Amino acid sequence: MSARRGGNTIRGPQSALTDFLAANNISARQIRDDYTRRRQLPGEGEDAGEGPSNQAVEQDGDEALAVAAQAEEDEKKTNKRKRSEKDAIENIKKAKSAKTGKGNAKKAAKKKAKKEDPDLDDSDDEDFEVNYKKAKPAPGQFEHCDICSKRFTVTPYSKEGPDGGLLCTPCGKDLMKDLKKEEKALQPKTIGRKRRKVESERLDGVATGGAKTLVQMCLQRVAQHHDDVEELGDLPPKLLERLSEIFSKKRVMKSKTLPLFLRPDLDSVVVHDAAYLEEDDYHQIFAVVPNIKKLVLSNTCQLKDKSMDYMLDRCHNLRHISLYAANLVSEEMWHRLFQKAGSKLEVIKLKWLDAAFEDEAVRDMVQCCPNLERLKLKLCRRLGQDSVDYIAQLPALKHLSLQISQQVSNDTLINLIEQRGSNLETLSLEKFMDADDAVLEAIHDTCTHLTKLRLSENDTITDSAFAALFTAWPNPPLTFADFNSTRDVDNNNPTGPEEAIGLGTAGFAALMAHSGASLKHLDIASCRFIALSAFLDVFNGAQSYPALEYINLSFCNQVDTSVVAGIFTSCPGLKRVVAFGCFDVRDVVVPGGIALIGIPTAQDAIEQFGVGIGVEEAIGRMVEVGA
């Protein structure tokens, strides 16, 4: 029975006085024994013959004095405890770290105790903490917060305060926030964030060499404090569109900031990231800007039939419509859009449509949009070969960009080029894997007004077909050429077939001979069958390409440092060079005003020599480093 009673002992909460007495090894039994011992001393026995009444009076007086002294002592301890709690609250708010503060406090207390009592060692302190430390309440019990003194239920996640007590949930969260802020402030500042920002600007094609312009600084400041901006005033549409791009990049284009870009006098609305906009926001766009002619909305996750209906009822001058991921618009609404607004539409750009927009919608578009000049259909999963046949019937088409998910035959592509090629100014065919040499032959014979040509991600067209395309082609020189990822892909034959597939040495030489003088944008990424000798012959420093501003050489494994140096010399107007995967490029010194992206070993050279130097000085330094 004794063991059972001992095991079921229940202990309740203890008062501050009880904790103090236990900490000083004082018990009620000891107080009573000391009092009895003092009563039995010889000095107190002289008055024993004065009678029981005197003894009783004296005993009552002693007890009264003892009670009064004890009450006074308890009051002092209570006041002291309140002052200690107040000081603890202030110390918590100013503490740098709970663990550090607790450890320092313990060390200071031990150090002070050792000064007062040299005989006290660490083992005594540990024994004292083990024997008299207050046990923490178990989860589910009630406890008073160390800071606000509110009663709360203890959980396994209750935070510990600097003084060892537990904290309620709100105080624990506030304490952790303060600790994180202080830890972040104490951490050494690194240049990682600054470097990431510089790299982001370089990827955007911005190679700053010196102070930024006043316009750039103002736009960045507006984007930084977007929550405090009430209106943008009469900003020109060009700056308004640039600011919209910055807001979209920073993911702050939301319902609160959208009204900054809406004015009744505008004729265009450009939102490059509408992911945070809701259905009412689209209604607001068409209500505030009823005379809209150009509408560009990307990531239109919440654009629905109701909003499209409202647009058709309010906006009667729509000429340009570009929608990205408008997957909540039904098939019937696409038909109604072309039937009601198609007669005035001149530009249609649609991307990433999965749920609707089939071949029948393209048929209605061709029938109802006779003035359509620019058409872009990319990654619309329900479109097939019939859509290409319908597009061939557009009479005013000048700019065409297609990326069809389903298979399209060569005959269909050739028919499209023969029907519309003579009027085309730009042609983009992406991921037509089965297009062969006959397609390039049709382009050579039919297209005579092209300024932009993109034919990417193809593993069928040969290098000789590319060379034939640019040989004696009556078309004027191109300003935009993109032939990325035109190469043979065979893991069993990494060197490729005997006859090169994709843009190779002969095709690249013919391209630069035909269009090099006017070319502004050149993308030959992953054209891995272009030999090093072809690069050195084209970019030899003697020939000049004054218009070339952008070139992408990524994963052309023949490119080395001499090729990059030749590009710097031969292209005086160069702004951006992309060369991912070119591991033979080392120790590059980049001239001022040029952004070099993707060279894994060029960053040290850029940081070492900086920007703002001329091409000749940069080439000289590269020669010195190479020597």
Side-chain angles (χ1 to χ4, degrees):
M1 293 298 292
S2 60
R4 181 179 178 182
R5 292 193 187 97
N8 292 335
T9 302
I10 299 177
R11 296 182 180 180
Q14 298 177 346
S15 64
L17 178 59
T18 304
D19 290 340
F20 174 81
L21 295 176
N24 291 275
N25 201 17
I26 301 174
S27 62
R29 182 186 297 274
Q30 181 181 354
I31 296 174
R32 184 170 59 253
D33 294 342
D34 292 343
Y35 178 74
T36 304
R37 187 170 56 255
R38 288 197 304 269
R39 293 285 297 164
Q40 295 176 355
L41 291 176
E44 297 182 3
E46 296 176 354
D47 299 332
E50 294 182 1
S53 60
N54 293 335
Q55 292 180 1
V57 172
E58 184 177 354
Q59 183 176 0
D60 293 340
D62 292 340
E63 292 179 356
L65 290 174
V67 171
Q70 186 67 32
E72 184 178 359
E73 185 178 357
D74 292 343
E75 184 178 0
K76 289 181 180 180
K77 291 179 180 178
T78 303
N79 295 334
K80 183 177 180 180
R81 179 173 58 82
K82 291 182 179 180
R83 288 195 301 270
S84 300
E85 290 178 356
K86 185 177 181 181
D87 294 340
I89 294 173
E90 294 178 356
N91 292 334
I92 289 173
K93 294 180 179 180
K94 298 179 181 179
K96 293 182 178 179
S97 174
K99 294 182 179 179
T100 305
K102 183 178 179 181
N104 294 337
K106 288 183 177 180
K107 291 179 180 178
K110 291 181 179 180
K111 188 175 181 180
K112 183 177 179 181
K114 286 184 178 181
K115 288 183 179 179
E116 295 177 355
D117 188 2
D119 297 333
L120 185 64
D121 56 1
D122 295 337
S123 61
D124 296 336
D125 296 337
E126 295 176 359
D127 294 340
F128 177 80
E129 292 180 0
V130 171
N131 293 330
Y132 299 105
K133 184 177 180 180
K134 182 181 177 181
K136 293 182 180 179
Q141 294 183 350
F142 293 104
E143 180 68 357
H144 292 277
C145 177
D146 238 13
I147 297 178
C148 63
S149 300
K150 290 183 179 179
R151 191 184 184 193
F152 70 97
T153 304
V154 179
T155 67
Y157 308 102
S158 297
K159 303 297 181 182
E160 183 178 353
D163 291 341
L166 296 179
L167 304 179
C168 62
T169 302
C171 294
K173 290 182 178 180
D174 294 340
L175 181 62
M176 294 306 296
K177 288 180 181 179
D178 295 339
L179 294 178
K180 288 181 180 179
K181 289 180 180 179
E182 290 164 359
E183 290 177 359
K184 187 176 181 180
L186 293 175
Q187 290 178 354
K189 295 183 179 179
T190 60
I191 61 173
R193 183 66 180 175
K194 183 178 179 181
R195 180 170 176 178
R196 186 182 301 129
K197 185 177 180 181
V198 172
E199 292 296 326
S200 176
E201 292 179 351
R202 289 171 56 204
L203 288 172
D204 290 339
V206 179
T208 57
K212 296 181 180 179
T213 63
L214 181 60
V215 174
Q216 290 177 337
M217 295 178 64
C218 291
L219 293 179
Q220 291 180 358
R221 185 65 63 180
V222 170
Q224 184 179 358
H225 302 282
H226 59 275
D227 288 333
D228 302 326
V229 179
E230 295 181 357
E231 62 177 10
L232 297 175
D234 298 331
L235 276 182
K238 186 176 181 180
L239 290 181
L240 204 63
E241 184 172 348
R242 175 57 183 159
L243 193 59
S244 174
E245 294 175 355
I246 297 175
F247 272 51
S248 298
K249 182 179 178 181
K250 293 182 176 294
R251 299 290 193 269
V252 295
M253 183 64 76
K254 301 181 180 180
S255 301
K256 183 179 179 181
T257 56
L258 177 64
L260 298 175
F261 302 90
L262 304 180
R263 295 201 313 261
D265 61 312
L266 294 176
D267 61 356
S268 64
V269 175
V270 179
V271 180
H272 293 284
D273 186 5
Y276 294 103
L277 301 185
E278 299 179 358
E279 187 175 359
D280 294 339
D281 298 322
Y282 295 111
H283 287 215
Q284 184 181 13
I285 292 175
F286 306 133
V288 177
V289 193
N291 298 321
I292 185 173
K293 294 182 179 180
K294 178 181 178 181
L295 176 64
V296 178
L297 299 175
S298 299
N299 295 332
T300 54
C301 306
Q302 297 299 323
L303 182 64
K304 303 178 182 178
D305 289 356
K306 186 177 180 181
S307 301
M308 296 288 285
D309 270 330
Y310 190 76
M311 179 188 71
L312 295 176
D313 294 339
R314 291 279 299 178
C315 306
H316 304 291
N317 298 321
L318 200 59
R319 301 286 191 277
H320 179 129
I321 182 169
S322 177
L323 299 178
Y324 175 80
N327 286 305
L328 297 183
V329 179
S330 64
E331 184 74 18
E332 292 75 12
M333 180 51 62
W334 288 116
H335 289 277
R336 185 182 175 192
L337 170 65
F338 297 135
Q339 293 170 3
K340 191 169 183 179
S343 59
K344 296 182 179 180
L345 285 177
E346 299 175 356
V347 179
I348 296 177
K349 298 180 180 181
L350 303 176
K351 292 178 62 178
W352 280 111
L353 298 180
D354 298 334
F357 202 77
E358 300 179 351
D359 294 336
E360 288 74 13
V362 177
R363 181 192 59 194
D364 283 359
M365 178 187 68
V366 173
Q367 294 176 354
C368 301
C369 303
N371 300 318
L372 192 62
E373 297 182 355
R374 186 183 296 269
L375 176 63
K376 177 184 286 188
L377 299 176
K378 300 180 68 174
L379 299 169
C380 301
R381 295 182 59 185
R382 293 179 177 270
L383 298 185
Q385 185 166 295
D386 293 340
S387 297
V388 181
D389 291 330
Y390 294 139
I391 294 171
Q393 303 173 15
L394 286 171
L397 191 62
K398 295 181 180 180
H399 308 274
L400 177 62
S401 179
L402 295 178
Q403 184 177 353
I404 305 297
S405 301
Q406 300 181 20
Q407 187 175 1
V408 178
S409 66
N410 286 328
D411 294 338
T412 303
L413 276 180
I414 294 173
N415 177 65
L416 171 65
I417 294 171
E418 291 177 348
Q419 294 292 328
R420 303 270 70 89
S422 58
N423 295 328
L424 288 179
E425 297 178 6
T426 63
L427 176 62
S428 175
L429 302 175
E430 297 183 63
K431 219 166 186 176
F432 286 86
M433 303 296 293
D434 297 329
D436 57 10
D437 296 353
V439 175
L440 290 189
E441 184 178 354
I443 294 175
H444 181 276
D445 297 338
T446 308
C447 301
T448 57
H449 298 90
L450 288 181
T451 59
K452 172 184 175 180
L453 178 60
R454 175 185 283 122
L455 184 60
S456 61
E457 297 186 65
N458 177 272
D459 58 359
T460 307
I461 301 176
T462 62
D463 181 36
S464 59
F466 280 104
L469 171 65
F470 295 106
T471 302
W473 188 19
N475 192 80
L478 298 174
T479 60
F480 186 105
D482 183 359
F483 302 107
N484 76 85
S485 302
T486 54
R487 74 278 187 264
D488 177 70
V489 181
D490 187 359
N491 296 331
N492 297 324
N493 186 16
T495 59
E498 295 182 359
E499 183 180 6
I501 299 296
L503 185 68
T505 300
F508 178 64
L511 166 64
M512 298 306 294
H514 176 271
S515 304
S518 302
L519 204 59
K520 294 182 178 180
H521 181 108
L522 177 62
D523 191 344
I524 53 174
S526 298
C527 295
R528 57 193 182 95
F529 298 115
I530 302 177
L532 176 61
S533 58
F535 285 113
L536 295 177
D537 291 340
V538 171
F539 302 109
N540 55 12
Q543 299 180 10
S544 179
Y545 308 98
L548 191 59
E549 299 178 353
Y550 173 92
I551 181 170
N552 188 354
L553 306 168
S554 298
F555 304 103
C556 293
N557 49 17
Q558 299 295 329
V559 175
D560 60 4
T561 307
S562 60
V563 174
V564 176
I567 292 174
F568 292 158
T569 306
S570 302
C571 307
L574 192 64
K575 295 181 179 179
R576 189 178 179 190
V577 180
V578 183
F580 289 98
C582 299
F583 297 103
D584 291 334
V585 179
R586 298 183 178 89
D587 301 323
V588 177
V589 181
V590 182
I594 298 178
L596 179 62
I597 302 170
I599 302 299
T601 57
Q603 183 63 38
D604 296 337
I606 292 174
E607 292 181 348
Q608 181 179 356
F609 298 109
V611 294
I613 60 177
V615 176
E616 295 181 359
E617 184 178 355
I619 299 299
R621 291 187 180 182
M622 279 192 281
V623 173
E624 292 177 1
V625 173

